[in-house]
Amino acid sequence: MATDSPLIIALDYSSLDAALCMADQLDPKRCRVKVGKELFTRSGPAVLEALHGRGFEIFLDLKFHDIPNTVAGAVQAAAEQGVWMVNVHACGGRKMMEAAAKRLDDHRLSTHLIAVTVLTSMQAEDLRETGIDDTPEAHVLRLAALTQQSGLGGVVCSAQEAAQIKSLFGNDFLKVTPGIRPSFAAANDQERIMTPSDAMRVGSTHLVIGRPITQAKEPMMALASIEAELAG
Ligand code: C5P
């Protein structure tokens, strides 16, 4: 059951039960869900099956980074389990990304394959310690270009980067943006935040939203206010 919604709800839970309890309060016609490393490591593919069974499209956020053949196999495994989107680390390089994209093509798998450029937790000093003297901003653009040249469909990026990525790499290159805070929500530990409508206005194609919805008393009410904000 496909949805046109740009909203992807992050199911950041440590158990299958907790994740499904939240999913059962959401409507798969009005959002997708994101499964990350902790939930997947604890629950395994069972969480994918359970969410698919409820009609959700899934972004499997495992950020693969390894030798090309290993990443291609992991991406194929994700796609064969029917996930809507999966991601890799762009710093794994061109050969890794091309191998992953080719594997999906060869098997006619239509799962969206996107890349993480620079983790937002990395600052200039952290990059320098790994041998990269570019600013984080310049490195993001370099890796986004490499991602596109390697045949991937988009990147995870902050809303602050979305406009530039859109102007350099086009509308169709997906820009999946976390760090979203509706006007009614607390910032939590996110530092550089943007509202859903501002993030869409500057070029995000999808918005990853966690706590503003998962910690709301009425998750679907929170989702409805975000939809209203986007429509307004
Ligand atoms: O609860 P919140 O809306 O902050 O959740 C955002 C989600 O997006 C989390 O799953 C978090 O891991 C993810 N994320 C992020 N910032 C990034 C990359 C991913 O917040 N730069």
Side-chain angles (χ1 to χ4, degrees):
M1 192 189 309
T3 175
D4 287 341
S5 172
L7 304 177
I8 304 174
I9 312 309
L11 297 178
D12 291 323
Y13 293 100
S14 56
S15 77
L16 178 62
D17 282 355
L20 295 184
C21 185
M22 175 50 55
D24 284 337
Q25 298 175 63
L26 300 172
D27 181 349
K29 292 192 282 309
R30 288 164 64 184
C31 62
R32 297 185 173 88
V33 290
K34 179 170 89 71
V35 171
K37 284 188 166 99
E38 183 183 6
L39 178 58
F40 190 78
T41 302
R42 288 192 183 276
S43 64
V47 69
L48 306 182
E49 245 171 74
L51 291 168
H52 282 147
R54 285 162 170 76
F56 286 99
E57 290 189 325
I58 302 171
F59 170 17
L60 184 59
D61 179 20
L62 296 184
K63 301 185 181 69
F64 296 128
H65 182 185
D66 209 312
I67 58 171
N69 188 54
T70 299
V71 168
V75 162
Q76 179 182 353
E80 285 177 349
Q81 287 174 82
V83 304
W84 166 77
M85 173 177 276
V86 65
N87 60 357
V88 300
H89 264 291
C91 58
R94 182 189 298 273
K95 282 192 251 173
M96 185 201 82
M97 289 195 281
E98 282 180 349
K102 181 169 184 307
R103 184 70 68 90
L104 292 183
D105 270 2
D106 287 350
H107 291 264
R108 298 187 199 294
L109 292 162
S110 59
T111 297
H112 292 287
L113 177 60
I114 66 169
V116 174
T117 55
V118 179
L119 293 171
T120 45
S121 52
M122 299 285 280
Q123 287 161 1
E125 176 57 24
D126 304 302
L127 285 181
R128 249 194 312 281
E129 284 187 331
T130 69
I132 292 155
D133 288 327
D134 270 343
T135 62
E137 296 73 28
H139 200 47
V140 164
L141 296 181
R142 175 200 300 267
L143 290 175
L146 186 62
T147 298
Q148 191 175 52
Q149 290 159 18
S150 305
L152 275 63
V155 287
V156 180
C157 65
S158 75
Q160 281 77 10
E161 296 154 356
Q164 201 173 9
I165 291 179
K166 178 180 171 179
S167 72
L168 289 168
F169 309 111
N171 285 340
D172 292 344
F173 194 61
L174 300 179
K175 290 152 284 284
V176 178
T177 304
I180 300 299
R181 286 296 177 269
S183 35
F184 63 81
N188 309 113
D189 53 358
Q190 295 282 10
E191 284 178 17
R192 294 191 305 149
I193 58 176
M194 210 180 270
T195 66
S197 40
D198 284 345
M200 293 302 288
R201 191 174 41 73
V202 296
S204 301
T205 57
H206 297 87
L207 308 177
V208 173
I209 307 183
R211 290 161 289 181
I213 286 181
T214 59
Q215 291 186 2
K217 266 210 185 81
E218 300 271 0
M220 274 312 286
M221 296 268 283
L223 192 124
S225 346
I226 294 171
E227 288 172 338
E229 199 175 320
L230 287 176

